[in-house]
Amino acid sequence: MKYNYLKFPSPEEAATAMQERQAILSVIESRVKWGFHKSKVDVSKLSKGCQLCGEGQWSCLFINNLCNGKCFYCPTQQSDMGQPETNTLLFDDPQTYVDYIREFGFKGVSISGGEPLISFEKSLSFVAAVKNAFADEVYVWMYTNGILLTPEKVEALKSAGLNEIRFDIGATDYKTDQLKLAVGRIPVVTVEIPAVPHEEELLKQKIRELKDLGVNHLNFHQMRLTPYNFNKLIEHDYTYSHGEKVTVMDSELTALRLIRFSLDEGIDLPINYCSFVYKNRHQKSANRQKHASIVKYSWEEITGNGFIRNLFVKVKADDHHSIQKQFENELAEGKMAFSSSINRLDFHEGQLQAVKSLQLPLFIEYHVSQIFPQATGLNDFQTIYLNEDSEVVVERRPATLPIELDAQKLEVVEKLLSGEIQYSEIEDAQTQQIMTFEIIPAGLGDYY
């Protein structure tokens, strides 16, 4: 029922907004660099933290779940201290977190919240532990609203080796007093804020101010609607867009207009627009990619979207012996796996043509890797021992039911495997499922 309070665009309004966006993109196209399937601009001068984010090489540690800011756009409730957490894993001990970073080979760590400065000593201990263990091999940054920042805390963070600090100045009515404490002390100072539509003119002024203050990067991200911020967002005359989540359409247009403004005015401050599409598609895909190889079988492959792809055929009971004889070498080499109990032959994509000659029902299925503090007991998993006292598990879960490949679907799969086709929307639901699990769609989200 809350949807009734939201303003979504009519087809005509959506088309007009899409035209405006395209007009902006056409103007800036030659002056910016797109990345991550054209979901993020401008990537020509990203901070190292943003680079590592896009590559899936970072771990975000939520040091607490408590914030002293009152940002109307905040998408999550942050009202309890909680424990340091990432990926459902709790880390009270900085050394165990260091072991986790080492085991999974992360190259970046961000300290977030909540507000990390509320738990300053704890935040500092994690920064120091990571930098002491890895030095320049791991890049460490912190998100903060800056309200509790003092010169003493800046010096402590600098001494601990913090590489970058990111301020949400929207929490302080865009005041920059606290930010100034870090400029020239912490190596990289970034401002990361949502592109708030009704503050566009103020943000133009702030772009100049931030450049003059010596800020290194400005990140705009797209506002999204959640049950938590619903009541505050509807106080503003925003237009929303359907999609993977409900987002503020005006926020994206504001971010792109601000990038154009900065380019037109020749303001030499790198601005990065972090769209929700980028976050929802690329961050999640990168997270899946990070540990999919731990639980994939030797005959499986990881798709471009980070899912584990498995191909198989159903075998008649009378054909068990002949199948095993025919593919004896492939079975021994781990390119195939045969299970007589379920009459099934799993195989690597490189064996597809040979398996097709059997003229048996062909299927494709996908799994997703997820990390947990302990096994659920429902799926296959691998235990990762961080140290003598701590372990985590990487579990493979079904992402879809098996899809039988008729002639049309098989043709699509073969073209996907050979790289002959790009992502496209397909009317058949199961074929569209295959397309989605295989490829990350390119571009920003449509408005509707």
Side-chain angles (χ1 to χ4, degrees):
M1 293 300 293
K2 285 189 173 182
Y3 261 46
N4 296 332
Y5 293 93
L6 302 177
K7 182 173 74 174
F8 290 98
S10 66
E12 294 77 16
E13 290 169 332
T16 298
M18 292 279 284
Q19 291 170 2
E20 178 185 352
R21 185 176 73 182
Q22 186 53 49
I24 298 171
L25 298 182
S26 297
V27 169
I28 68 174
E29 185 71 33
S30 62
R31 295 181 284 172
V32 299
K33 182 178 179 182
W34 284 86
F36 307 102
H37 294 77
K38 300 199 77 170
S39 67
K40 179 186 278 288
V41 62
D42 180 7
V43 302
S44 57
K45 296 180 181 179
L46 286 180
S47 77
K48 188 171 181 179
C50 287
Q51 293 173 22
L52 293 169
C53 167
E55 295 166 4
Q57 292 294 336
W58 71 308
S59 168
C60 184
L61 183 71
F62 297 91
I63 205 76
N64 59 35
N65 191 39
L66 186 64
C67 188
N68 53 349
K70 304 296 181 184
C71 306
F72 78 95
Y73 46 73
C74 184
T76 59
Q77 185 173 7
Q78 300 178 341
S79 57
D80 63 87
M81 184 59 75
Q83 294 176 270
E85 179 269 334
T86 183
N87 259 340
T88 74
L89 309 176
L90 300 179
F91 291 100
D92 259 347
D93 174 24
Q95 185 54 51
T96 302
Y97 183 63
V98 165
D99 294 335
Y100 168 75
I101 298 303
R102 179 180 292 109
E103 183 64 39
F104 286 90
F106 291 106
K107 299 301 181 184
V109 166
S110 68
I111 307 297
S112 186
E115 169 51 54
L117 297 184
I118 291 177
S119 307
F120 179 71
E121 293 301 327
K122 184 180 293 185
S123 298
L124 187 65
S125 69
F126 277 87
V127 172
V130 172
K131 295 305 290 186
N132 286 339
F134 304 106
D136 292 338
E137 293 181 14
V138 174
Y139 186 87
V140 181
W141 66 102
M142 175 183 288
Y143 297 91
T144 180
N145 57 36
I147 292 172
L148 297 177
L149 195 64
T150 63
E152 294 74 21
K153 289 176 181 175
V154 170
E155 289 305 311
L157 290 168
K158 178 185 176 183
S159 297
L162 187 71
N163 298 105
E164 179 181 349
I165 187 166
R166 297 189 181 186
F167 289 90
D168 181 356
I169 59 174
T172 56
D173 294 325
Y174 300 97
K175 294 182 177 65
T176 55
D177 297 344
Q178 303 305 96
L179 177 152
K180 293 175 186 176
L181 298 175
V183 174
R185 308 303 300 164
I186 304 299
V188 177
V189 176
T190 298
V191 167
E192 181 159 311
I193 51 178
V196 178
H198 66 269
E199 292 169 342
E200 184 171 340
E201 292 306 311
L202 173 61
L203 291 172
K204 289 179 180 179
Q205 299 173 28
K206 288 297 168 180
I207 290 174
R208 294 186 186 277
E209 180 183 346
L210 296 176
K211 170 62 176 65
D212 292 341
L213 287 174
V215 169
N216 302 98
H217 301 275
L218 172 58
N219 296 342
F220 285 121
H221 56 83
Q222 185 177 15
M223 297 167 64
R224 67 183 179 95
L225 183 79
T226 69
Y228 177 68
N229 65 17
F230 181 94
N231 290 333
K232 295 180 181 178
L233 257 60
I234 62 171
E235 294 177 4
H236 303 273
D237 187 27
Y238 295 154
T239 300
Y240 298 87
S241 181
H242 298 284
E244 294 155 19
K245 296 287 183 181
V246 177
T247 54
V248 179
M249 186 178 77
D250 315 292
S251 179
E252 177 161 274
L253 294 172
T254 298
L256 296 175
R257 284 195 296 264
L258 289 169
I259 291 176
R260 181 181 62 186
F261 164 80
S262 179
L263 294 168
D264 290 345
E265 295 295 311
I267 303 172
D268 187 22
L269 174 64
I271 300 179
N272 154 42
Y273 170 50
C274 196
S275 67
F276 180 75
V277 161
Y278 161 78
K279 293 180 179 180
N280 199 48
R281 294 176 183 171
H282 284 274
Q283 284 186 347
K284 289 182 177 180
S285 174
N287 185 55
R288 292 189 291 263
Q289 295 264 10
K290 189 65 179 172
H291 36 66
S293 60
I294 296 173
V295 289
K296 86 172 187 67
Y297 303 130
S298 58
W299 59 87
E300 296 177 322
E301 291 292 344
I302 301 170
T303 73
N305 204 2
F307 292 93
I308 300 168
R309 179 201 312 116
N310 191 52
L311 294 160
F312 69 94
V313 290
K314 292 184 176 179
V315 181
K316 296 177 183 178
D318 294 342
D319 295 332
H320 285 192
H321 179 72
S322 62
I323 289 291
Q324 293 181 77
K325 184 66 175 176
Q326 180 177 348
F327 297 110
E328 182 177 4
N329 292 334
E330 289 82 359
L331 289 165
E333 294 169 0
K335 296 176 182 177
M336 289 182 168
F338 180 71
S339 175
S340 59
S341 62
I342 56 175
N343 301 322
R344 172 169 158 162
L345 176 70
D346 297 74
F347 61 93
H348 185 265
E349 62 186 54
Q351 310 302 316
L352 178 57
Q353 295 308 313
V355 173
K356 280 171 61 177
S357 66
L358 300 174
Q359 297 185 326
L360 296 172
L362 268 166
F363 294 84
I364 192 169
E365 64 183 4
Y366 297 91
H367 286 76
V368 61
S369 63
Q370 291 180 287
I371 193 165
F372 296 104
Q374 57 191 25
T376 65
L378 300 174
N379 305 288
D380 288 351
F381 65 92
Q382 290 289 332
T383 301
I384 307 296
Y385 296 96
L386 303 180
N387 51 46
E388 292 182 357
D389 301 317
S390 300
E391 63 187 48
V392 298
V393 299
V394 178
E395 188 170 287
R396 54 181 287 142
R397 289 185 164 190
T400 180
L401 294 172
I403 298 171
E404 185 168 3
L405 299 177
D406 57 22
Q408 181 183 20
K409 293 184 182 67
L410 179 58
E411 180 182 4
V412 171
V413 168
E414 290 185 295
K415 288 182 177 180
L416 283 167
L417 296 180
S418 65
E420 293 180 40
I421 58 176
Q422 303 295 317
Y423 180 90
S424 61
E425 298 289 336
I426 299 174
E427 186 172 342
D428 179 74
Q430 287 189 323
T431 309
Q432 180 60 49
Q433 261 193 322
I434 294 170
M435 184 72 70
T436 300
F437 285 118
E438 290 284 341
I439 300 177
I440 300 175
L444 300 171
D446 291 340
Y447 299 152
Y448 61 98

